[in-house]
Amino acid sequence: MRTHPVLAATGPLTSWLLAIGLLLSPAAALAQSGGASGTAAEKPVVATGTVPDEATRAAILQRLRELYGANRVVDRIEVDAVIAPPNWSDRVLGMLGPDLRQVSGGELAIDGNSVRISGQVGNEAARQQVASAIATGAGPSYVLKNSLVGGGGSKQDLLDQTLADRIIEFKSGSATLTDGGRAILDEMAVALESVGQQQVQVIGHTDSVGSRESNIALSLQRAIAVKAYLEQRGVSADNLSVQGFGPDRPVADNDSDDGRARNRRIEFRVM
């Protein structure tokens, strides 16, 4: 008998494995639909695995039906006396949000307190958005590995590829750019010129150290500093706007130095 819950669900657009309770996998979806002839909208979402109680099972199925439609959800979930982490059911439901519908051919795996999301999304902005939503729903005690792959060919992709997952750095606790941060922005200025007259939002993010209010203010100040520098490099001010989310949209675990560093980032989103 398993010592913790396992759940799996197989979906047309998204497939997840919650090794604590839920799994969705594209291969299983195809098996259920009799092959690949059906459209993505027609393919079922197959939920399999083991959960600790009937209430958890019912809540997960209800959430899946809300996301994908009742006719597409196939229930293979079992109930057994497995041991779940504290508030596990709530955390699972928090991870099963509408952002998952942006993922195709993927898998969300939750094994203990380890979470992995894989699959295809439209661009880097969607990649970060999906991972952030899952991390927020999971809470700080879960470690997320983001294996999503963004699409190519759009203006958003150009900015994402130029930034290339690099962190635009500031002096500690301030909105003053470092030399390395300015060097990256020099490259971004060239990419933004290629975007043309499309509106681009500069979004600041922080880690969770300190108060939420001060972090939101700092993230906005940093976004403003980036906008100002890009304007100095010739990018039209009319094409740039700013937003600061502080610690609200993490892409990594704030419990480690590496995770906090990844969360202290600037994002460029084509509107």
Side-chain angles (χ1 to χ4, degrees), residues 118-151:
S118 63
Q120 185 78 26
V121 290
N123 52 49
E124 178 63 20
R127 178 177 177 271
Q128 293 196 22
Q129 180 181 350
V130 172
S132 177
I134 293 172
T136 300
S141 62
Y142 287 73
V143 178
L144 172 64
K145 179 179 180 181
N146 182 3
S147 299
L148 292 169
V149 177

mmCIF file of all heavy atoms in Angstrom, residues 118-151:
data_model
loop_
_atom_site.group_PDB
_atom_site.id
_atom_site.type_symbol
_atom_site.label_atom_id
_atom_site.label_comp_id
_atom_site.label_asym_id
_atom_site.label_seq_id
_atom_site.Cartn_x
_atom_site.Cartn_y
_atom_site.Cartn_z
ATOM 1 N N SER A 118 5.215 19.835 -17.228
ATOM 2 C CA SER A 118 5.843 19.750 -18.545
ATOM 3 C C SER A 118 4.761 19.919 -19.610
ATOM 4 O O SER A 118 3.570 19.859 -19.323
ATOM 5 C CB SER A 118 6.556 18.404 -18.730
ATOM 6 O OG SER A 118 5.606 17.343 -18.671
ATOM 7 N N GLY A 119 5.196 20.118 -20.848
ATOM 8 C CA GLY A 119 4.253 20.278 -21.945
ATOM 9 C C GLY A 119 4.564 21.499 -22.780
ATOM 10 O O GLY A 119 5.590 22.163 -22.585
ATOM 11 N N GLN A 120 3.679 21.818 -23.707
ATOM 12 C CA GLN A 120 3.878 22.908 -24.654
ATOM 13 C C GLN A 120 2.933 24.064 -24.334
ATOM 14 O O GLN A 120 1.752 23.856 -24.069
ATOM 15 C CB GLN A 120 3.594 22.407 -26.079
ATOM 16 C CG GLN A 120 3.870 23.414 -27.168
ATOM 17 C CD GLN A 120 5.339 23.543 -27.493
ATOM 18 O OE1 GLN A 120 6.101 22.605 -27.282
ATOM 19 N NE2 GLN A 120 5.753 24.692 -27.994
ATOM 20 N N VAL A 121 3.470 25.292 -24.351
ATOM 21 C CA VAL A 121 2.660 26.502 -24.214
ATOM 22 C C VAL A 121 3.023 27.460 -25.344
ATOM 23 O O VAL A 121 3.992 27.243 -26.068
ATOM 24 C CB VAL A 121 2.869 27.182 -22.849
ATOM 25 C CG1 VAL A 121 2.272 26.355 -21.723
ATOM 26 C CG2 VAL A 121 4.343 27.445 -22.589
ATOM 27 N N GLY A 122 2.243 28.533 -25.491
ATOM 28 C CA GLY A 122 2.414 29.415 -26.635
ATOM 29 C C GLY A 122 3.697 30.208 -26.644
ATOM 30 O O GLY A 122 4.289 30.438 -27.695
ATOM 31 N N ASN A 123 4.169 30.651 -25.480
ATOM 32 C CA ASN A 123 5.355 31.490 -25.430
ATOM 33 C C ASN A 123 5.914 31.499 -24.014
ATOM 34 O O ASN A 123 5.362 30.856 -23.110
ATOM 35 C CB ASN A 123 5.045 32.919 -25.894
ATOM 36 C CG ASN A 123 3.845 33.500 -25.157
ATOM 37 O OD1 ASN A 123 3.769 33.447 -23.941
ATOM 38 N ND2 ASN A 123 2.895 34.055 -25.911
ATOM 39 N N GLU A 124 7.008 32.242 -23.824
ATOM 40 C CA GLU A 124 7.663 32.277 -22.523
ATOM 41 C C GLU A 124 6.788 32.919 -21.450
ATOM 42 O O GLU A 124 6.806 32.517 -20.287
ATOM 43 C CB GLU A 124 8.989 33.031 -22.634
ATOM 44 C CG GLU A 124 9.761 33.171 -21.328
ATOM 45 C CD GLU A 124 10.208 31.843 -20.728
ATOM 46 O OE1 GLU A 124 10.260 30.835 -21.468
ATOM 47 O OE2 GLU A 124 10.490 31.812 -19.527
ATOM 48 N N ALA A 125 6.013 33.925 -21.857
ATOM 49 C CA ALA A 125 5.124 34.563 -20.880
ATOM 50 C C ALA A 125 4.120 33.552 -20.331
ATOM 51 O O ALA A 125 3.856 33.503 -19.125
ATOM 52 C CB ALA A 125 4.392 35.744 -21.517
ATOM 53 N N ALA A 126 3.557 32.734 -21.219
ATOM 54 C CA ALA A 126 2.624 31.693 -20.773
ATOM 55 C C ALA A 126 3.332 30.656 -19.921
ATOM 56 O O ALA A 126 2.787 30.166 -18.930
ATOM 57 C CB ALA A 126 1.969 31.024 -21.983
ATOM 58 N N ARG A 127 4.568 30.343 -20.281
ATOM 59 C CA ARG A 127 5.352 29.371 -19.512
ATOM 60 C C ARG A 127 5.506 29.831 -18.064
ATOM 61 O O ARG A 127 5.297 29.066 -17.122
ATOM 62 C CB ARG A 127 6.713 29.186 -20.178
ATOM 63 C CG ARG A 127 7.664 28.239 -19.467
ATOM 64 C CD ARG A 127 8.959 28.093 -20.276
ATOM 65 N NE ARG A 127 9.905 27.265 -19.591
ATOM 66 C CZ ARG A 127 10.806 27.704 -18.703
ATOM 67 N NH1 ARG A 127 10.859 28.996 -18.419
ATOM 68 N NH2 ARG A 127 11.634 26.873 -18.110
ATOM 69 N N GLN A 128 5.862 31.108 -17.900
ATOM 70 C CA GLN A 128 6.040 31.634 -16.555
ATOM 71 C C GLN A 128 4.692 31.792 -15.834
ATOM 72 O O GLN A 128 4.598 31.565 -14.629
ATOM 73 C CB GLN A 128 6.766 32.971 -16.613
ATOM 74 C CG GLN A 128 8.208 32.865 -17.081
ATOM 75 C CD GLN A 128 9.021 34.098 -16.767
ATOM 76 O OE1 GLN A 128 8.681 34.878 -15.873
ATOM 77 N NE2 GLN A 128 10.105 34.299 -17.483
ATOM 78 N N GLN A 129 3.670 32.176 -16.580
ATOM 79 C CA GLN A 129 2.358 32.363 -15.969
ATOM 80 C C GLN A 129 1.810 31.057 -15.405
ATOM 81 O O GLN A 129 1.296 31.012 -14.285
ATOM 82 C CB GLN A 129 1.387 32.933 -16.997
ATOM 83 C CG GLN A 129 -0.023 33.170 -16.456
ATOM 84 C CD GLN A 129 -0.960 33.712 -17.522
ATOM 85 O OE1 GLN A 129 -0.540 34.083 -18.617
ATOM 86 N NE2 GLN A 129 -2.238 33.739 -17.217
ATOM 87 N N VAL A 130 1.915 29.973 -16.179
ATOM 88 C CA VAL A 130 1.420 28.672 -15.724
ATOM 89 C C VAL A 130 2.200 28.209 -14.494
ATOM 90 O O VAL A 130 1.618 27.771 -13.491
ATOM 91 C CB VAL A 130 1.515 27.624 -16.848
ATOM 92 C CG1 VAL A 130 1.193 26.229 -16.317
ATOM 93 C CG2 VAL A 130 0.561 27.978 -17.989
ATOM 94 N N ALA A 131 3.532 28.304 -14.566
ATOM 95 C CA ALA A 131 4.359 27.864 -13.434
ATOM 96 C C ALA A 131 4.076 28.692 -12.193
ATOM 97 O O ALA A 131 4.013 28.165 -11.075
ATOM 98 C CB ALA A 131 5.835 27.951 -13.809
ATOM 99 N N SER A 132 3.895 29.989 -12.382
ATOM 100 C CA SER A 132 3.619 30.868 -11.246
ATOM 101 C C SER A 132 2.286 30.512 -10.592
ATOM 102 O O SER A 132 2.178 30.480 -9.360
ATOM 103 C CB SER A 132 3.609 32.326 -11.702
ATOM 104 O OG SER A 132 3.269 33.184 -10.642
ATOM 105 N N ALA A 133 1.275 30.240 -11.415
ATOM 106 C CA ALA A 133 -0.035 29.887 -10.874
ATOM 107 C C ALA A 133 0.043 28.588 -10.072
ATOM 108 O O ALA A 133 -0.574 28.457 -9.005
ATOM 109 C CB ALA A 133 -1.056 29.762 -12.003
ATOM 110 N N ILE A 134 0.799 27.613 -10.580
ATOM 111 C CA ILE A 134 0.943 26.337 -9.873
ATOM 112 C C ILE A 134 1.698 26.548 -8.559
ATOM 113 O O ILE A 134 1.304 26.021 -7.511
ATOM 114 C CB ILE A 134 1.669 25.311 -10.750
ATOM 115 C CG1 ILE A 134 0.798 24.939 -11.955
ATOM 116 C CG2 ILE A 134 2.004 24.051 -9.945
ATOM 117 C CD1 ILE A 134 1.511 24.085 -12.972
ATOM 118 N N ALA A 135 2.785 27.313 -8.614
ATOM 119 C CA ALA A 135 3.577 27.562 -7.402
ATOM 120 C C ALA A 135 2.746 28.279 -6.351
ATOM 121 O O ALA A 135 2.834 27.968 -5.154
ATOM 122 C CB ALA A 135 4.813 28.387 -7.757
ATOM 123 N N THR A 136 1.927 29.231 -6.775
ATOM 124 C CA THR A 136 1.077 29.949 -5.833
ATOM 125 C C THR A 136 0.045 29.025 -5.207
ATOM 126 O O THR A 136 -0.193 29.057 -3.997
ATOM 127 C CB THR A 136 0.360 31.111 -6.538
ATOM 128 O OG1 THR A 136 1.341 32.010 -7.074
ATOM 129 C CG2 THR A 136 -0.531 31.874 -5.568
ATOM 130 N N GLY A 137 -0.567 28.170 -6.048
ATOM 131 C CA GLY A 137 -1.556 27.232 -5.527
ATOM 132 C C GLY A 137 -0.949 26.200 -4.597
ATOM 133 O O GLY A 137 -1.578 25.777 -3.625
ATOM 134 N N ALA A 138 0.287 25.781 -4.900
ATOM 135 C CA ALA A 138 0.940 24.760 -4.088
ATOM 136 C C ALA A 138 1.389 25.293 -2.739
ATOM 137 O O ALA A 138 1.337 24.601 -1.733
ATOM 138 C CB ALA A 138 2.132 24.185 -4.844
ATOM 139 N N GLY A 139 1.854 26.535 -2.710
ATOM 140 C CA GLY A 139 2.355 27.085 -1.458
ATOM 141 C C GLY A 139 3.837 26.844 -1.286
ATOM 142 O O GLY A 139 4.469 26.105 -2.050
ATOM 143 N N PRO A 140 4.437 27.442 -0.275
ATOM 144 C CA PRO A 140 5.896 27.446 -0.112
ATOM 145 C C PRO A 140 6.520 26.106 0.230
ATOM 146 O O PRO A 140 7.725 25.934 0.076
ATOM 147 C CB PRO A 140 6.116 28.459 1.019
ATOM 148 C CG PRO A 140 4.832 28.461 1.787
ATOM 149 C CD PRO A 140 3.761 28.255 0.757
ATOM 150 N N SER A 141 5.738 25.144 0.696
ATOM 151 C CA SER A 141 6.334 23.865 1.096
ATOM 152 C C SER A 141 6.507 22.896 -0.072
ATOM 153 O O SER A 141 7.035 21.799 0.101
ATOM 154 C CB SER A 141 5.488 23.197 2.189
ATOM 155 O OG SER A 141 4.183 22.912 1.710
ATOM 156 N N TYR A 142 6.070 23.288 -1.269
ATOM 157 C CA TYR A 142 6.218 22.445 -2.452
ATOM 158 C C TYR A 142 7.292 23.042 -3.362
ATOM 159 O O TYR A 142 7.378 24.258 -3.533
ATOM 160 C CB TYR A 142 4.900 22.353 -3.223
ATOM 161 C CG TYR A 142 3.852 21.504 -2.537
ATOM 162 C CD1 TYR A 142 3.190 21.966 -1.409
ATOM 163 C CD2 TYR A 142 3.526 20.239 -3.010
ATOM 164 C CE1 TYR A 142 2.239 21.197 -0.764
ATOM 165 C CE2 TYR A 142 2.566 19.462 -2.376
ATOM 166 C CZ TYR A 142 1.931 19.932 -1.250
ATOM 167 O OH TYR A 142 0.988 19.176 -0.623
ATOM 168 N N VAL A 143 8.112 22.179 -3.954
ATOM 169 C CA VAL A 143 9.179 22.599 -4.854
ATOM 170 C C VAL A 143 8.749 22.300 -6.290
ATOM 171 O O VAL A 143 8.442 21.160 -6.628
ATOM 172 C CB VAL A 143 10.493 21.864 -4.540
ATOM 173 C CG1 VAL A 143 11.577 22.285 -5.532
ATOM 174 C CG2 VAL A 143 10.930 22.164 -3.111
ATOM 175 N N LEU A 144 8.718 23.327 -7.132
ATOM 176 C CA LEU A 144 8.239 23.186 -8.504
ATOM 177 C C LEU A 144 9.392 23.150 -9.493
ATOM 178 O O LEU A 144 10.268 24.005 -9.471
ATOM 179 C CB LEU A 144 7.301 24.344 -8.858
ATOM 180 C CG LEU A 144 6.860 24.437 -10.322
ATOM 181 C CD1 LEU A 144 6.021 23.219 -10.711
ATOM 182 C CD2 LEU A 144 6.092 25.723 -10.575
ATOM 183 N N LYS A 145 9.370 22.170 -10.405
ATOM 184 C CA LYS A 145 10.278 22.132 -11.548
ATOM 185 C C LYS A 145 9.471 22.466 -12.798
ATOM 186 O O LYS A 145 8.526 21.755 -13.142
ATOM 187 C CB LYS A 145 10.933 20.755 -11.686
ATOM 188 C CG LYS A 145 11.880 20.674 -12.889
ATOM 189 C CD LYS A 145 12.531 19.318 -13.010
ATOM 190 C CE LYS A 145 13.475 19.282 -14.215
ATOM 191 N NZ LYS A 145 14.114 17.947 -14.376
ATOM 192 N N ASN A 146 9.851 23.535 -13.471
ATOM 193 C CA ASN A 146 9.134 23.989 -14.656
ATOM 194 C C ASN A 146 9.814 23.443 -15.908
ATOM 195 O O ASN A 146 10.883 23.912 -16.298
ATOM 196 C CB ASN A 146 9.090 25.517 -14.689
ATOM 197 C CG ASN A 146 8.312 26.054 -15.877
ATOM 198 O OD1 ASN A 146 7.741 25.297 -16.659
ATOM 199 N ND2 ASN A 146 8.270 27.364 -16.006
ATOM 200 N N SER A 147 9.197 22.441 -16.547
ATOM 201 C CA SER A 147 9.746 21.853 -17.773
ATOM 202 C C SER A 147 8.886 22.190 -18.988
ATOM 203 O O SER A 147 8.929 21.497 -20.008
ATOM 204 C CB SER A 147 9.859 20.329 -17.624
ATOM 205 O OG SER A 147 10.730 19.979 -16.567
ATOM 206 N N LEU A 148 8.080 23.246 -18.884
ATOM 207 C CA LEU A 148 7.256 23.671 -20.009
ATOM 208 C C LEU A 148 8.135 24.219 -21.131
ATOM 209 O O LEU A 148 9.185 24.796 -20.880
ATOM 210 C CB LEU A 148 6.260 24.742 -19.564
ATOM 211 C CG LEU A 148 5.155 24.284 -18.605
ATOM 212 C CD1 LEU A 148 4.415 25.493 -18.045
ATOM 213 C CD2 LEU A 148 4.194 23.339 -19.309
ATOM 214 N N VAL A 149 7.669 24.062 -22.350
ATOM 215 C CA VAL A 149 8.386 24.554 -23.526
ATOM 216 C C VAL A 149 7.506 25.561 -24.240
ATOM 217 O O VAL A 149 6.336 25.289 -24.541
ATOM 218 C CB VAL A 149 8.735 23.399 -24.489
ATOM 219 C CG1 VAL A 149 9.420 23.940 -25.737
ATOM 220 C CG2 VAL A 149 9.612 22.377 -23.789
ATOM 221 N N GLY A 150 8.046 26.772 -24.515
ATOM 222 C CA GLY A 150 7.295 27.805 -25.213
ATOM 223 C C GLY A 150 7.360 27.629 -26.713
ATOM 224 O O GLY A 150 8.288 27.015 -27.249
ATOM 225 N N GLY A 151 6.372 28.173 -27.416
ATOM 226 C CA GLY A 151 6.334 28.124 -28.869
ATOM 227 C C GLY A 151 7.305 29.128 -29.480
ATOM 228 O O GLY A 151 8.054 29.800 -28.789
#
